[in-house]
Amino acid sequence: MLRVMVIGAAGKMGREVCRAVLGQEDMSLVGAVDRKDAGQDLGAVLGTEALGLAIVTDLEEELHRAAPDVAIDFTTIQAARKNIPVLISNGVRPVVGTTGFTPDELAKIAAECDRTGRGAVIIPNFSLGAMLLARFARETIRHFPACEVVELHHQQKRDAPSGTALRLVESLSGGSHEIPIHSVRLPGLVAHHEVLFGGSGELLTIRHDSMSRESFIPGILLAVRRAPSLRHLVTSMEALLEIEQ
Ligand code: NAD
């Protein structure tokens, strides 16, 4: 049985992730950390029956009490920056969905994983469809080099451009040319990415829509199952799927 903790458990993604973990036969939800709703039973926050698991604020204390194998982080970049070293130094595998890490920060975390021989997962978009969008776009740019990216999200999303859009242009440009990103923040949106390719007298648009947060759950659960055996940092769904079990 995999022992799983959720950090940011009272947030939009955190609540969805808690529900998903509770529904897995091979996982046990052993800890819930958040600065919001602290002291409340997690069940009350999820709208289920009481679970006998209180939301707490102190990560390190909760790690010692709950002894998780894996900790899933959906918080803010400021919180996740602090949480990851604490998890790694306590031998807990981080599965991080929080966005906003710079390439430099990722390189430092990767070096720490290599040094300790204990892996981690930091993936800005856990959906399978978003991974395929990136794959199709890489194929298309060989024929249509002029392109721009539009990312559209709910208005509470704090970072702009989205982590997914940044990763997308990085993989499309190979660091060689600038691809503009346009960010839209509006109520009614969830998470949407499109790449527009302009050609002579034609336009090709590749678009992915996350209609609900459920779209991220299969990728997150896969990462949780793979995390204990990882020895290095994994930063994309493509890389995660390629890892042999
Ligand atoms: P949210 O604001 O609803 O939830 C964040 C939660 O973290 C809140 O409950 C907040 O109280 C908690 N938190 C913040 N700082 C904390 C701290 N220091 N200690 C403990 N808890 C703390 O946000 P959300 O929509 O759930 O998104 C969270 C993150 O996940 C964002 O960075 C977002 O971009 C990212 N995200 C990633 C994916 C993906 O597939 N990787 C998908 C959706 C969202």
Side-chain angles (χ1 to χ4, degrees):
M1 189 71 100
L2 262 177
R3 298 174 67 78
V4 181
M5 170 186 279
V6 177
I7 314 173
K12 290 184 283 297
M13 278 303 295
R15 286 189 307 252
E16 203 68 52
V17 169
C18 286
R19 283 189 197 101
V21 170
L22 286 166
Q24 306 307 305
E25 286 183 353
D26 60 338
M27 293 182 194
S28 159
L29 185 60
V30 295
V33 177
D34 204 303
R35 60 182 180 193
K36 195 171 74 185
D37 295 336
Q40 285 209 47
D41 185 85
L42 181 65
V45 173
L46 299 182
T48 64
E49 78 276 15
L51 295 168
L53 184 67
I55 296 184
V56 299
T57 52
D58 193 311
L59 173 61
E60 210 143 9
E61 242 176 60
E62 187 67 349
L63 285 175
H64 293 141
R65 184 201 64 77
D69 303 303
V70 177
I72 307 172
D73 184 299
F74 278 91
T75 56
T76 61
I77 184 62
Q78 294 80 6
R81 272 186 190 124
K82 290 187 193 144
N83 295 342
I84 292 172
V86 175
L87 298 175
I88 291 179
S89 67
N90 280 279
V92 178
R93 304 304 167 100
V95 168
V96 179
T98 307
T99 52
F101 290 94
T102 65
D104 261 15
E105 286 174 325
L106 292 176
K108 283 193 188 119
I109 297 166
E112 188 57 14
C113 288
D114 292 344
R115 194 184 68 73
T116 57
R118 287 195 293 261
V121 176
I122 305 178
I123 296 184
N125 195 321
F126 277 101
S127 96
L128 199 62
M131 179 200 87
L132 290 171
L133 168 109
R135 194 180 276 182
F136 299 151
R138 276 201 302 279
E139 166 74 16
T140 309
I141 201 167
R142 289 165 43 208
H143 310 285
F144 292 85
C147 71
E148 303 206 357
V149 170
V150 185
E151 58 95 349
L152 310 92
H153 285 84
H154 57 91
Q155 86 278 32
Q156 281 127 26
K157 183 169 175 64
R158 296 192 187 171
D159 51 327
S162 68
T164 304
L166 287 169
R167 179 65 61 78
L168 189 61
V169 300
E170 192 186 302
S171 86
L172 286 177
S173 66
S176 62
H177 71 286
E178 293 268 303
I179 298 173
I181 304 175
H182 308 273
S183 299
V184 179
R185 296 287 176 269
L186 282 175
L189 294 166
V190 182
H192 318 262
H193 292 86
E194 55 183 47
V195 193
L196 294 95
F197 294 92
S200 315
E202 58 182 337
L203 180 75
L204 176 61
T205 304
I206 306 178
R207 175 170 168 128
H208 174 256
D209 299 279
S210 274
M211 311 307 287
S212 84
R213 295 184 175 87
E214 277 167 67
S215 60
F216 305 118
I217 297 298
I220 296 166
L221 294 175
L222 178 71
V224 170
R225 292 192 172 99
R226 299 215 161 159
S229 56
L230 291 179
R231 304 183 66 81
H232 62 277
L233 176 66
V234 173
T235 59
S236 71
M237 276 304 290
E238 246 171 325
L240 187 69
L241 287 164
E242 273 163 20
I243 293 164
E244 302 256 332
Q245 275 302 85

